[in-house]
Amino acid sequence: MAVIVPCVTATDAHVYREQMARIAPFASRVHIDFSDGQFAPLKLVNPIQAYWPEGVLADFHLMVQKPEDYLETVISLKPQMVVIHAEAQGNLTGVILQLRALGIKTGVALLQQTQPQSARQLIAEADHVLIFSGDLGHFGGHADMGLLKKVADIKAINSTAEIGWDGGVSLDNAAQLALGGVEVLNAGGAIQRADDPAATYKQLNELAARSNS
């Protein structure tokens, strides 16, 4: 069954606190974005500033050029999962294996132009594959439904990988994304900018669940 995961995409500690407080009352899993200002044009908070409510699962999305540079900090914080980009630099397979050895799940994100076959080795090792359809470092973006074709290609490489989606998740497309095989719908602006974030989160979950019934 597809699940909705609220996102935190913050440029500074104050915005981070506001966004986390907005989703803390109802979120059971959160997706926290980090960016170095190089891989993505906008610099976001550093992982060392991260926190989340006790009992909530945290997924770290590292939109950074060199994930290895962040490993020590990330490992010390013990998120449930760390997602790195297939387009990043360094020994990415080594990063995945090191995290796994410490009991941290690993994910691989694919930008719009990146085809699963070109990241075959990373996908084969990952617990989660994130189809990225957003605007790096920002809420919103366009949910390009054409990218759903990647789901079958990913599953052909790693049939057990959890499929995630980042970018443009809304009340208008949540059901379609879930029907297309997406299991984790990371929702940023749709929830953070809603008049009633809790109600929007509930509606999104109902749409996703209904599509899988």
Side-chain angles (χ1 to χ4, degrees):
M1 178 183 292
V3 297
I4 305 300
V5 178
C7 300
V8 171
T9 304
T11 53
D12 59 48
H14 175 69
V15 174
Y16 186 99
R17 286 193 299 273
E18 287 185 336
Q19 292 186 9
M20 189 60 76
R22 198 169 290 131
I23 62 176
F26 53 82
S28 58
R29 179 173 173 180
V30 296
H31 177 99
I32 307 174
D33 287 323
F34 304 99
S35 170
D36 57 5
Q38 298 175 28
F39 185 85
L42 187 66
K43 187 174 177 60
L44 301 176
V45 292
N46 189 287
I48 197 65
Q49 297 173 282
Y51 66 89
W52 56 95
E54 186 176 354
V56 172
L57 299 176
D59 300 339
F60 281 13
H61 180 191
L62 299 184
M63 297 179 286
V64 299
Q65 200 71 27
K66 298 179 179 180
E68 289 169 291
D69 293 349
Y70 294 78
L71 265 185
E72 184 177 350
T73 297
V74 165
I75 289 168
S76 72
L77 293 169
K78 299 179 181 178
Q80 75 113 12
M81 183 169 72
V82 175
V83 180
I84 61 174
H85 271 267
E87 305 83 7
Q89 298 174 358
N91 181 7
L92 303 183
T93 301
V95 170
I96 288 175
L97 295 177
Q98 185 173 346
L99 289 167
R100 176 180 296 151
L102 295 169
I104 299 173
K105 293 181 180 180
T106 58
V108 176
L110 308 176
L111 292 178
Q112 292 93 326
Q113 70 274 15
T114 302
Q115 296 305 311
Q117 190 60 36
S118 67
R120 186 180 186 89
Q121 183 178 354
L122 294 172
I123 291 172
E125 293 287 353
D127 300 297
H128 176 103
V129 181
L130 180 66
I131 299 172
F132 191 83
S133 179
D135 184 8
L136 286 171
H138 298 270
F139 281 144
H142 170 62
D144 180 358
M145 293 303 171
L147 296 178
L148 280 172
K149 64 186 178 183
K150 291 184 179 182
V151 172
D153 295 334
I154 292 165
K155 289 294 188 179
I157 297 169
N158 184 342
S159 62
T160 64
E162 180 183 65
I163 306 294
W165 182 282
D166 190 344
V169 172
S170 70
L171 294 172
D172 295 327
N173 59 34
Q176 185 180 351
L177 289 168
L179 281 169
V182 178
E183 297 158 287
V184 177
L185 282 66
N186 297 297
I191 292 175
Q192 291 285 359
R193 294 172 177 164
D195 292 335
D196 187 338
T200 299
Y201 173 74
K202 183 174 183 289
Q203 286 180 278
L204 286 167
N205 268 304
E206 288 172 348
L207 288 166
R210 195 178 308 140
S211 68
N212 288 280
S213 59

